[in-house]
mmCIF file of all heavy atoms in Angstrom:
data_model
loop_
_atom_site.group_PDB
_atom_site.id
_atom_site.type_symbol
_atom_site.label_atom_id
_atom_site.label_comp_id
_atom_site.label_asym_id
_atom_site.label_seq_id
_atom_site.Cartn_x
_atom_site.Cartn_y
_atom_site.Cartn_z
ATOM 1 N N PHE A 48 -15.716 9.902 73.713
ATOM 2 C CA PHE A 48 -16.579 8.966 72.995
ATOM 3 C C PHE A 48 -16.040 7.552 73.144
ATOM 4 O O PHE A 48 -14.841 7.299 72.976
ATOM 5 C CB PHE A 48 -16.647 9.320 71.505
ATOM 6 C CG PHE A 48 -17.398 10.588 71.229
ATOM 7 C CD1 PHE A 48 -16.709 11.774 70.995
ATOM 8 C CD2 PHE A 48 -18.777 10.609 71.219
ATOM 9 C CE1 PHE A 48 -17.386 12.950 70.739
ATOM 10 C CE2 PHE A 48 -19.470 11.783 70.965
ATOM 11 C CZ PHE A 48 -18.771 12.958 70.731
ATOM 12 N N ASN A 49 -16.940 6.630 73.468
ATOM 13 C CA ASN A 49 -16.577 5.226 73.606
ATOM 14 C C ASN A 49 -16.976 4.497 72.323
ATOM 15 O O ASN A 49 -18.167 4.363 72.012
ATOM 16 C CB ASN A 49 -17.289 4.600 74.812
ATOM 17 C CG ASN A 49 -16.783 3.201 75.108
ATOM 18 O OD1 ASN A 49 -15.987 2.643 74.354
ATOM 19 N ND2 ASN A 49 -17.252 2.639 76.223
ATOM 20 N N MET A 50 -15.981 3.991 71.602
ATOM 21 C CA MET A 50 -16.245 3.361 70.322
ATOM 22 C C MET A 50 -16.816 1.956 70.485
ATOM 23 O O MET A 50 -17.253 1.333 69.502
ATOM 24 C CB MET A 50 -14.953 3.292 69.497
ATOM 25 C CG MET A 50 -14.369 4.658 69.164
ATOM 26 S SD MET A 50 -12.875 4.550 68.172
ATOM 27 C CE MET A 50 -13.536 3.834 66.664
ATOM 28 N N ASP A 51 -16.828 1.426 71.711
ATOM 29 C CA ASP A 51 -17.316 0.067 71.935
ATOM 30 C C ASP A 51 -18.803 0.011 72.266
ATOM 31 O O ASP A 51 -19.366 -1.067 72.446
ATOM 32 C CB ASP A 51 -16.532 -0.600 73.077
ATOM 33 C CG ASP A 51 -15.058 -0.773 72.713
ATOM 34 O OD1 ASP A 51 -14.770 -0.951 71.511
ATOM 35 O OD2 ASP A 51 -14.217 -0.725 73.629
ATOM 36 N N ARG A 52 -19.442 1.153 72.389
ATOM 37 C CA ARG A 52 -20.876 1.132 72.686
ATOM 38 C C ARG A 52 -21.621 1.996 71.672
ATOM 39 O O ARG A 52 -21.039 2.852 70.983
ATOM 40 C CB ARG A 52 -21.146 1.647 74.107
ATOM 41 C CG ARG A 52 -20.856 3.115 74.323
ATOM 42 C CD ARG A 52 -21.258 3.544 75.733
ATOM 43 N NE ARG A 52 -20.970 4.942 75.994
ATOM 44 C CZ ARG A 52 -21.774 5.945 75.650
ATOM 45 N NH1 ARG A 52 -22.918 5.690 75.056
ATOM 46 N NH2 ARG A 52 -21.442 7.202 75.918
ATOM 47 N N ILE A 53 -22.910 1.752 71.552
ATOM 48 C CA ILE A 53 -23.746 2.474 70.582
ATOM 49 C C ILE A 53 -23.966 3.906 71.064
ATOM 50 O O ILE A 53 -24.228 4.158 72.247
ATOM 51 C CB ILE A 53 -25.095 1.747 70.412
ATOM 52 C CG1 ILE A 53 -24.864 0.317 69.894
ATOM 53 C CG2 ILE A 53 -26.000 2.504 69.453
ATOM 54 C CD1 ILE A 53 -26.126 -0.505 69.804
ATOM 55 N N LEU A 54 -23.877 4.836 70.123
ATOM 56 C CA LEU A 54 -24.075 6.241 70.464
ATOM 57 C C LEU A 54 -25.556 6.509 70.716
ATOM 58 O O LEU A 54 -26.416 6.120 69.921
ATOM 59 C CB LEU A 54 -23.581 7.132 69.319
ATOM 60 C CG LEU A 54 -22.079 7.072 68.990
ATOM 61 C CD1 LEU A 54 -21.769 7.978 67.799
ATOM 62 C CD2 LEU A 54 -21.251 7.500 70.198
ATOM 63 N N ILE A 55 -25.840 7.183 71.815
ATOM 64 C CA ILE A 55 -27.213 7.586 72.093
ATOM 65 C C ILE A 55 -27.448 8.975 71.502
ATOM 66 O O ILE A 55 -26.547 9.592 70.924
ATOM 67 C CB ILE A 55 -27.484 7.571 73.613
ATOM 68 C CG1 ILE A 55 -26.525 8.533 74.343
ATOM 69 C CG2 ILE A 55 -27.336 6.156 74.170
ATOM 70 C CD1 ILE A 55 -26.792 8.609 75.854
ATOM 71 N N LYS A 56 -28.658 9.483 71.657
ATOM 72 C CA LYS A 56 -29.025 10.748 71.023
ATOM 73 C C LYS A 56 -28.158 11.905 71.523
ATOM 74 O O LYS A 56 -27.728 12.768 70.741
ATOM 75 C CB LYS A 56 -30.497 11.051 71.288
ATOM 76 C CG LYS A 56 -30.996 12.269 70.527
ATOM 77 C CD LYS A 56 -32.492 12.450 70.714
ATOM 78 C CE LYS A 56 -32.985 13.662 69.931
ATOM 79 N NZ LYS A 56 -34.455 13.848 70.090
ATOM 80 N N SER A 57 -27.881 11.918 72.823
ATOM 81 C CA SER A 57 -27.040 12.994 73.370
ATOM 82 C C SER A 57 -25.618 12.913 72.820
ATOM 83 O O SER A 57 -24.975 13.947 72.571
ATOM 84 C CB SER A 57 -27.015 12.923 74.898
ATOM 85 O OG SER A 57 -26.492 11.665 75.324
ATOM 86 N N ASP A 58 -25.130 11.685 72.621
ATOM 87 C CA ASP A 58 -23.792 11.516 72.035
ATOM 88 C C ASP A 58 -23.754 12.034 70.608
ATOM 89 O O ASP A 58 -22.770 12.648 70.187
ATOM 90 C CB ASP A 58 -23.382 10.041 72.068
ATOM 91 C CG ASP A 58 -23.168 9.536 73.489
ATOM 92 O OD1 ASP A 58 -22.840 10.362 74.359
ATOM 93 O OD2 ASP A 58 -23.331 8.324 73.713
ATOM 94 N N VAL A 59 -24.820 11.778 69.872
ATOM 95 C CA VAL A 59 -24.885 12.251 68.487
ATOM 96 C C VAL A 59 -24.875 13.776 68.445
ATOM 97 O O VAL A 59 -24.167 14.393 67.639
ATOM 98 C CB VAL A 59 -26.131 11.683 67.786
ATOM 99 C CG1 VAL A 59 -26.302 12.307 66.408
ATOM 100 C CG2 VAL A 59 -26.032 10.162 67.672
ATOM 101 N N GLN A 60 -25.659 14.400 69.307
ATOM 102 C CA GLN A 60 -25.683 15.862 69.339
ATOM 103 C C GLN A 60 -24.329 16.433 69.741
ATOM 104 O O GLN A 60 -23.862 17.448 69.190
ATOM 105 C CB GLN A 60 -26.771 16.340 70.316
ATOM 106 C CG GLN A 60 -28.175 15.969 69.905
ATOM 107 C CD GLN A 60 -28.572 16.567 68.567
ATOM 108 O OE1 GLN A 60 -28.170 17.693 68.230
ATOM 109 N NE2 GLN A 60 -29.354 15.820 67.797
ATOM 110 N N LYS A 61 -23.691 15.772 70.684
ATOM 111 C CA LYS A 61 -22.357 16.202 71.111
ATOM 112 C C LYS A 61 -21.360 16.045 69.976
ATOM 113 O O LYS A 61 -20.514 16.936 69.747
ATOM 114 C CB LYS A 61 -21.938 15.369 72.312
ATOM 115 C CG LYS A 61 -20.554 15.691 72.864
ATOM 116 C CD LYS A 61 -20.232 14.769 74.044
ATOM 117 C CE LYS A 61 -18.816 14.994 74.557
ATOM 118 N NZ LYS A 61 -18.481 14.059 75.668
ATOM 119 N N LEU A 62 -21.455 14.952 69.246
ATOM 120 C CA LEU A 62 -20.559 14.716 68.113
ATOM 121 C C LEU A 62 -20.755 15.772 67.030
ATOM 122 O O LEU A 62 -19.779 16.313 66.491
ATOM 123 C CB LEU A 62 -20.820 13.306 67.553
ATOM 124 C CG LEU A 62 -20.052 12.919 66.288
ATOM 125 C CD1 LEU A 62 -18.552 12.942 66.527
ATOM 126 C CD2 LEU A 62 -20.482 11.533 65.805
ATOM 127 N N ILE A 63 -21.999 16.083 66.735
ATOM 128 C CA ILE A 63 -22.281 17.103 65.713
ATOM 129 C C ILE A 63 -21.735 18.461 66.152
ATOM 130 O O ILE A 63 -21.141 19.200 65.352
ATOM 131 C CB ILE A 63 -23.798 17.180 65.454
ATOM 132 C CG1 ILE A 63 -24.299 15.872 64.817
ATOM 133 C CG2 ILE A 63 -24.139 18.371 64.560
ATOM 134 C CD1 ILE A 63 -25.798 15.798 64.652
ATOM 135 N N LYS A 64 -21.884 18.775 67.428
ATOM 136 C CA LYS A 64 -21.395 20.057 67.937
ATOM 137 C C LYS A 64 -19.882 20.157 67.818
ATOM 138 O O LYS A 64 -19.351 21.182 67.360
ATOM 139 C CB LYS A 64 -21.826 20.218 69.385
ATOM 140 C CG LYS A 64 -21.376 21.519 70.030
ATOM 141 C CD LYS A 64 -21.836 21.598 71.485
ATOM 142 C CE LYS A 64 -21.335 22.877 72.138
ATOM 143 N NZ LYS A 64 -21.762 22.949 73.569
ATOM 144 N N PHE A 65 -19.177 19.105 68.212
ATOM 145 C CA PHE A 65 -17.711 19.112 68.122
ATOM 146 C C PHE A 65 -17.248 19.230 66.667
ATOM 147 O O PHE A 65 -16.315 19.978 66.359
ATOM 148 C CB PHE A 65 -17.142 17.850 68.753
ATOM 149 C CG PHE A 65 -17.106 17.881 70.253
ATOM 150 C CD1 PHE A 65 -16.925 16.716 70.993
ATOM 151 C CD2 PHE A 65 -17.238 19.080 70.950
ATOM 152 C CE1 PHE A 65 -16.881 16.749 72.378
ATOM 153 C CE2 PHE A 65 -17.196 19.118 72.333
ATOM 154 C CZ PHE A 65 -17.025 17.947 73.050
ATOM 155 N N CYS A 66 -17.874 18.470 65.793
ATOM 156 C CA CYS A 66 -17.464 18.493 64.380
ATOM 157 C C CYS A 66 -17.698 19.860 63.747
ATOM 158 O O CYS A 66 -16.833 20.384 63.030
ATOM 159 C CB CYS A 66 -18.222 17.410 63.603
ATOM 160 S SG CYS A 66 -17.751 15.724 64.006
ATOM 161 N N VAL A 67 -18.861 20.446 64.028
ATOM 162 C CA VAL A 67 -19.151 21.769 63.460
ATOM 163 C C VAL A 67 -18.174 22.803 64.004
ATOM 164 O O VAL A 67 -17.683 23.684 63.267
ATOM 165 C CB VAL A 67 -20.615 22.166 63.774
ATOM 166 C CG1 VAL A 67 -20.871 23.616 63.377
ATOM 167 C CG2 VAL A 67 -21.585 21.233 63.059
ATOM 168 N N SER A 68 -17.865 22.714 65.293
ATOM 169 C CA SER A 68 -16.935 23.662 65.894
ATOM 170 C C SER A 68 -15.556 23.578 65.237
ATOM 171 O O SER A 68 -14.937 24.605 64.928
ATOM 172 C CB SER A 68 -16.823 23.387 67.394
ATOM 173 O OG SER A 68 -15.841 24.208 67.987
ATOM 174 N N ARG A 69 -15.093 22.357 64.967
ATOM 175 C CA ARG A 69 -13.767 22.199 64.358
ATOM 176 C C ARG A 69 -13.779 22.597 62.888
ATOM 177 O O ARG A 69 -12.800 23.148 62.379
ATOM 178 C CB ARG A 69 -13.311 20.749 64.505
ATOM 179 C CG ARG A 69 -13.010 20.362 65.948
ATOM 180 C CD ARG A 69 -12.268 19.049 66.042
ATOM 181 N NE ARG A 69 -10.972 19.104 65.353
ATOM 182 C CZ ARG A 69 -10.099 18.096 65.353
ATOM 183 N NH1 ARG A 69 -10.400 16.968 65.989
ATOM 184 N NH2 ARG A 69 -8.952 18.208 64.726
ATOM 185 N N LEU A 70 -14.880 22.320 62.197
ATOM 186 C CA LEU A 70 -14.950 22.661 60.770
ATOM 187 C C LEU A 70 -15.076 24.168 60.540
ATOM 188 O O LEU A 70 -14.723 24.659 59.456
ATOM 189 C CB LEU A 70 -16.135 21.940 60.117
ATOM 190 C CG LEU A 70 -15.965 20.423 59.926
ATOM 191 C CD1 LEU A 70 -17.276 19.788 59.498
ATOM 192 C CD2 LEU A 70 -14.875 20.132 58.894
ATOM 193 N N LEU A 71 -15.579 24.883 61.532
ATOM 194 C CA LEU A 71 -15.739 26.340 61.388
ATOM 195 C C LEU A 71 -14.555 27.120 61.946
ATOM 196 O O LEU A 71 -14.554 28.354 61.886
ATOM 197 C CB LEU A 71 -17.028 26.793 62.082
ATOM 198 C CG LEU A 71 -18.339 26.261 61.481
ATOM 199 C CD1 LEU A 71 -19.532 26.746 62.281
ATOM 200 C CD2 LEU A 71 -18.473 26.672 60.021
ATOM 201 N N ASP A 72 -13.561 26.410 62.479
ATOM 202 C CA ASP A 72 -12.389 27.085 63.040
ATOM 203 C C ASP A 72 -11.447 27.452 61.893
ATOM 204 O O ASP A 72 -10.626 26.650 61.453
ATOM 205 C CB ASP A 72 -11.698 26.165 64.044
ATOM 206 C CG ASP A 72 -10.604 26.893 64.824
ATOM 207 O OD1 ASP A 72 -10.382 28.092 64.549
ATOM 208 O OD2 ASP A 72 -9.974 26.254 65.697
ATOM 209 N N SER A 73 -11.568 28.663 61.415
ATOM 210 C CA SER A 73 -10.826 29.081 60.216
ATOM 211 C C SER A 73 -9.356 29.375 60.497
ATOM 212 O O SER A 73 -8.570 29.520 59.561
ATOM 213 C CB SER A 73 -11.476 30.331 59.607
ATOM 214 O OG SER A 73 -11.495 31.392 60.554
ATOM 215 N N LYS A 74 -8.969 29.472 61.765
ATOM 216 C CA LYS A 74 -7.579 29.789 62.096
ATOM 217 C C LYS A 74 -6.867 28.609 62.754
ATOM 218 O O LYS A 74 -5.985 28.793 63.587
ATOM 219 C CB LYS A 74 -7.525 31.006 63.027
ATOM 220 C CG LYS A 74 -8.029 32.286 62.377
ATOM 221 C CD LYS A 74 -7.894 33.462 63.326
ATOM 222 C CE LYS A 74 -8.375 34.748 62.668
ATOM 223 N NZ LYS A 74 -8.229 35.926 63.569
ATOM 224 N N ASN A 75 -7.228 27.411 62.346
ATOM 225 C CA ASN A 75 -6.649 26.206 62.931
ATOM 226 C C ASN A 75 -5.795 25.504 61.866
ATOM 227 O O ASN A 75 -6.331 24.982 60.871
ATOM 228 C CB ASN A 75 -7.749 25.265 63.424
ATOM 229 C CG ASN A 75 -7.186 24.119 64.247
ATOM 230 O OD1 ASN A 75 -5.989 23.825 64.206
ATOM 231 N ND2 ASN A 75 -8.058 23.462 65.004
ATOM 232 N N PRO A 76 -4.483 25.463 62.018
ATOM 233 C CA PRO A 76 -3.645 24.767 61.025
ATOM 234 C C PRO A 76 -3.980 23.281 60.912
ATOM 235 O O PRO A 76 -3.816 22.689 59.847
ATOM 236 C CB PRO A 76 -2.222 24.962 61.567
ATOM 237 C CG PRO A 76 -2.298 26.134 62.486
ATOM 238 C CD PRO A 76 -3.666 26.098 63.068
ATOM 239 N N SER A 77 -4.461 22.680 61.998
ATOM 240 C CA SER A 77 -4.828 21.269 61.960
ATOM 241 C C SER A 77 -5.951 21.027 60.966
ATOM 242 O O SER A 77 -5.923 20.067 60.184
ATOM 243 C CB SER A 77 -5.232 20.784 63.353
ATOM 244 O OG SER A 77 -5.618 19.432 63.313
ATOM 245 N N LEU A 78 -6.967 21.897 60.977
ATOM 246 C CA LEU A 78 -8.076 21.778 60.028
ATOM 247 C C LEU A 78 -7.581 21.978 58.593
ATOM 248 O O LEU A 78 -8.003 21.263 57.677
ATOM 249 C CB LEU A 78 -9.168 22.786 60.372
ATOM 250 C CG LEU A 78 -10.353 22.829 59.409
ATOM 251 C CD1 LEU A 78 -11.084 21.495 59.388
ATOM 252 C CD2 LEU A 78 -11.317 23.956 59.782
ATOM 253 N N ASP A 79 -6.692 22.941 58.401
ATOM 254 C CA ASP A 79 -6.145 23.162 57.060
ATOM 255 C C ASP A 79 -5.375 21.934 56.567
ATOM 256 O O ASP A 79 -5.423 21.593 55.382
ATOM 257 C CB ASP A 79 -5.225 24.383 57.064
ATOM 258 C CG ASP A 79 -6.002 25.681 57.136
ATOM 259 O OD1 ASP A 79 -7.204 25.663 56.838
ATOM 260 O OD2 ASP A 79 -5.409 26.723 57.509
ATOM 261 N N THR A 80 -4.670 21.280 57.477
ATOM 262 C CA THR A 80 -3.926 20.075 57.081
ATOM 263 C C THR A 80 -4.880 18.968 56.664
ATOM 264 O O THR A 80 -4.660 18.282 55.654
ATOM 265 C CB THR A 80 -3.041 19.593 58.235
ATOM 266 O OG1 THR A 80 -2.199 20.663 58.664
ATOM 267 C CG2 THR A 80 -2.176 18.425 57.790
ATOM 268 N N ILE A 81 -5.963 18.792 57.431
ATOM 269 C CA ILE A 81 -6.944 17.758 57.079
ATOM 270 C C ILE A 81 -7.608 18.090 55.741
ATOM 271 O O ILE A 81 -7.808 17.218 54.888
ATOM 272 C CB ILE A 81 -7.989 17.624 58.206
ATOM 273 C CG1 ILE A 81 -7.323 17.078 59.472
ATOM 274 C CG2 ILE A 81 -9.140 16.727 57.777
ATOM 275 C CD1 ILE A 81 -8.234 17.024 60.675
ATOM 276 N N LYS A 82 -7.951 19.363 55.543
ATOM 277 C CA LYS A 82 -8.534 19.769 54.261
ATOM 278 C C LYS A 82 -7.560 19.502 53.109
ATOM 279 O O LYS A 82 -7.955 19.054 52.030
ATOM 280 C CB LYS A 82 -8.892 21.259 54.297
ATOM 281 C CG LYS A 82 -10.102 21.593 55.145
ATOM 282 C CD LYS A 82 -10.399 23.079 55.080
ATOM 283 C CE LYS A 82 -11.635 23.449 55.873
ATOM 284 N NZ LYS A 82 -11.914 24.912 55.829
ATOM 285 N N MET A 83 -6.286 19.793 53.352
ATOM 286 C CA MET A 83 -5.267 19.549 52.324
ATOM 287 C C MET A 83 -5.182 18.063 51.993
ATOM 288 O O MET A 83 -5.107 17.672 50.815
ATOM 289 C CB MET A 83 -3.907 20.066 52.809
ATOM 290 C CG MET A 83 -2.793 19.976 51.771
ATOM 291 S SD MET A 83 -1.149 20.193 52.501
ATOM 292 C CE MET A 83 -1.340 21.714 53.401
ATOM 293 N N GLN A 84 -5.192 17.233 53.027
ATOM 294 C CA GLN A 84 -5.103 15.791 52.809
ATOM 295 C C GLN A 84 -6.314 15.257 52.045
ATOM 296 O O GLN A 84 -6.174 14.439 51.124
ATOM 297 C CB GLN A 84 -4.969 15.073 54.150
ATOM 298 C CG GLN A 84 -3.650 15.343 54.851
ATOM 299 C CD GLN A 84 -3.632 14.809 56.271
ATOM 300 O OE1 GLN A 84 -4.676 14.481 56.836
ATOM 301 N NE2 GLN A 84 -2.446 14.747 56.877
ATOM 302 N N VAL A 85 -7.503 15.731 52.412
ATOM 303 C CA VAL A 85 -8.718 15.296 51.718
ATOM 304 C C VAL A 85 -8.707 15.761 50.268
ATOM 305 O O VAL A 85 -9.045 15.004 49.347
ATOM 306 C CB VAL A 85 -9.972 15.810 52.455
ATOM 307 C CG1 VAL A 85 -11.230 15.529 51.641
ATOM 308 C CG2 VAL A 85 -10.068 15.178 53.836
ATOM 309 N N TYR A 86 -8.308 17.015 50.063
ATOM 310 C CA TYR A 86 -8.260 17.537 48.690
ATOM 311 C C TYR A 86 -7.260 16.757 47.837
ATOM 312 O O TYR A 86 -7.558 16.378 46.692
ATOM 313 C CB TYR A 86 -7.876 19.015 48.712
ATOM 314 C CG TYR A 86 -7.670 19.601 47.332
ATOM 315 C CD1 TYR A 86 -8.748 19.987 46.546
ATOM 316 C CD2 TYR A 86 -6.387 19.750 46.796
ATOM 317 C CE1 TYR A 86 -8.561 20.512 45.273
ATOM 318 C CE2 TYR A 86 -6.191 20.259 45.531
ATOM 319 C CZ TYR A 86 -7.284 20.645 44.775
ATOM 320 O OH TYR A 86 -7.086 21.143 43.520
ATOM 321 N N PHE A 87 -6.089 16.484 48.391
ATOM 322 C CA PHE A 87 -5.074 15.753 47.632
ATOM 323 C C PHE A 87 -5.541 14.320 47.360
ATOM 324 O O PHE A 87 -5.325 13.790 46.262
ATOM 325 C CB PHE A 87 -3.766 15.730 48.427
ATOM 326 C CG PHE A 87 -2.587 15.239 47.639
ATOM 327 C CD1 PHE A 87 -1.895 16.089 46.789
ATOM 328 C CD2 PHE A 87 -2.164 13.922 47.744
ATOM 329 C CE1 PHE A 87 -0.810 15.649 46.063
ATOM 330 C CE2 PHE A 87 -1.072 13.468 47.017
ATOM 331 C CZ PHE A 87 -0.397 14.338 46.176
ATOM 332 N N ASP A 88 -6.195 13.736 48.327
ATOM 333 C CA ASP A 88 -6.684 12.372 48.155
ATOM 334 C C ASP A 88 -7.745 12.304 47.065
ATOM 335 O O ASP A 88 -7.802 11.333 46.293
ATOM 336 C CB ASP A 88 -7.252 11.871 49.485
ATOM 337 C CG ASP A 88 -7.839 10.483 49.360
ATOM 338 O OD1 ASP A 88 -7.230 9.651 48.680
ATOM 339 O OD2 ASP A 88 -8.899 10.231 49.954
ATOM 340 N N MET A 89 -8.585 13.314 46.965
ATOM 341 C CA MET A 89 -9.669 13.304 45.985
ATOM 342 C C MET A 89 -9.219 13.708 44.583
ATOM 343 O O MET A 89 -9.912 13.398 43.607
ATOM 344 C CB MET A 89 -10.781 14.259 46.445
ATOM 345 C CG MET A 89 -11.408 13.893 47.773
ATOM 346 S SD MET A 89 -12.221 12.276 47.731
ATOM 347 C CE MET A 89 -13.553 12.616 46.596
ATOM 348 N N ASN A 90 -8.097 14.396 44.466
ATOM 349 C CA ASN A 90 -7.699 14.937 43.164
ATOM 350 C C ASN A 90 -6.421 14.333 42.592
ATOM 351 O O ASN A 90 -6.136 14.520 41.406
ATOM 352 C CB ASN A 90 -7.509 16.458 43.265
ATOM 353 C CG ASN A 90 -8.809 17.186 43.490
ATOM 354 O OD1 ASN A 90 -9.535 17.511 42.559
ATOM 355 N ND2 ASN A 90 -9.135 17.440 44.754
#
Side-chain angles (χ1 to χ4, degrees):
F48 290 100
N49 188 354
M50 298 181 65
D51 296 329
R52 68 176 179 84
I53 300 175
L54 296 178
I55 60 177
K56 187 174 181 179
S57 60
D58 293 333
V59 173
Q60 296 299 325
K61 179 181 176 182
L62 175 61
I63 294 174
K64 180 181 178 181
F65 282 164
C66 290
V67 172
S68 175
R69 291 193 61 176
L70 288 170
L71 295 178
D72 189 358
S73 59
K74 295 182 179 181
N75 190 343
S77 179
L78 177 62
D79 286 342
T80 305
I81 294 175
K82 287 182 178 179
M83 185 195 308
Q84 292 171 345
V85 172
Y86 174 80
F87 191 82
D88 177 41
M89 299 298 294
N90 292 274

